[in-house]
């Protein structure tokens, strides 16, 4: 299973970016998909995740500014980031909890390569 993230870049504070992450490969089913981020010198932190049923969870720091969504037909998760702040700058990693076969009952977490988000003040 491979996850390909895209959409990062440089944006001014107050601007917006939309990240995408597409899963491909041997996929039987995908449960939770989401995004983490890691800034230099800091631990990786959960930004948001969304279940296969559409339930969403956000870090307090991004509530009201970020929106996570997914397209189950395309095995893709999105993160729309509005009102970006300099403290949002980080490498953003997507992940997906995947069952690769109906014989495997416990999903495994796969990770994308990371996409850089830079916010200028």
């Amino acid at each position: 299973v491979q996850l390909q993230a895209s959409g990062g870049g440089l944006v001014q504070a107050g601007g917006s970016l939309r990240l995408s992450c597409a899963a491909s490969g041997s996929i039987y089913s995908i449960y939770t998909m989401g995004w983490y981020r890691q800034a230099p010198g800091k631990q990786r932190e959960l930004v948001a995740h969304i279940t296969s049923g559409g339930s969403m969870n956000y870090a307090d720091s991004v509530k009201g500014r970020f929106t996570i969504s997914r397209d189950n037909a395309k095995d893709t998760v999105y993160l729309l980031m509005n009102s970006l702040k300099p403290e949002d700058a980080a490498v953003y990693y997507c992940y997906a909890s995947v069952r690769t076969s109906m014989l495997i009952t416990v999903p495994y977490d796969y990770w994308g390569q990371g996409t850089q988000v830079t916010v200028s003040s």
Side-chain angles (χ1 to χ4, degrees), residues 1-12:
V1 175
Q2 298 81 41
L3 272 67
Q4 181 67 46
S6 61
L10 172 64
V11 65
Q12 288 188 330

Side-chain angles (χ1 to χ4, degrees), residues 64-118:
R65 300 188 297 120
F66 291 11
T67 302
I68 191 169
S69 61
R70 65 189 280 175
D71 184 334
N72 291 329
K74 295 182 179 180
D75 292 335
T76 300
V77 62
Y78 306 95
L79 186 68
L80 176 60
M81 306 184 292
N82 294 322
S83 303
L84 281 160
K85 304 175 181 180
E87 52 263 42
D88 294 318
V91 177
Y92 283 69
Y93 298 90
C94 62
Y95 79 95
S97 297
V98 179
R99 285 175 65 191
T100 55
S101 162
M102 65 180 295
L103 300 177
I104 298 174
T105 58
V106 179
Y108 181 83
D109 288 348
Y110 293 87
W111 292 85
Q113 83 281 11
T115 185
Q116 178 72 50
V117 171
T118 304

Side-chain angles (χ1 to χ4, degrees), residues 7-41:
L10 172 64
V11 65
Q12 288 188 330
S16 299
L17 282 175
R18 187 190 191 217
L19 306 183
S20 300
C21 177
S24 62
S26 179
I27 297 172
Y28 174 70
S29 62
I30 301 178
Y31 292 81
T32 304
M33 302 184 81
W35 296 90
Y36 277 74
R37 68 185 180 187
Q38 187 167 21

Side-chain angles (χ1 to χ4, degrees), residues 19-62:
L19 306 183
S20 300
C21 177
S24 62
S26 179
I27 297 172
Y28 174 70
S29 62
I30 301 178
Y31 292 81
T32 304
M33 302 184 81
W35 296 90
Y36 277 74
R37 68 185 180 187
Q38 187 167 21
K42 296 188 176 181
Q43 289 188 328
R44 187 174 295 193
E45 63 174 354
L46 175 68
V47 177
H49 68 235
I50 182 168
T51 68
S52 56
S55 296
M56 295 167 281
N57 187 51
Y58 294 93
D60 288 342
S61 59
V62 307

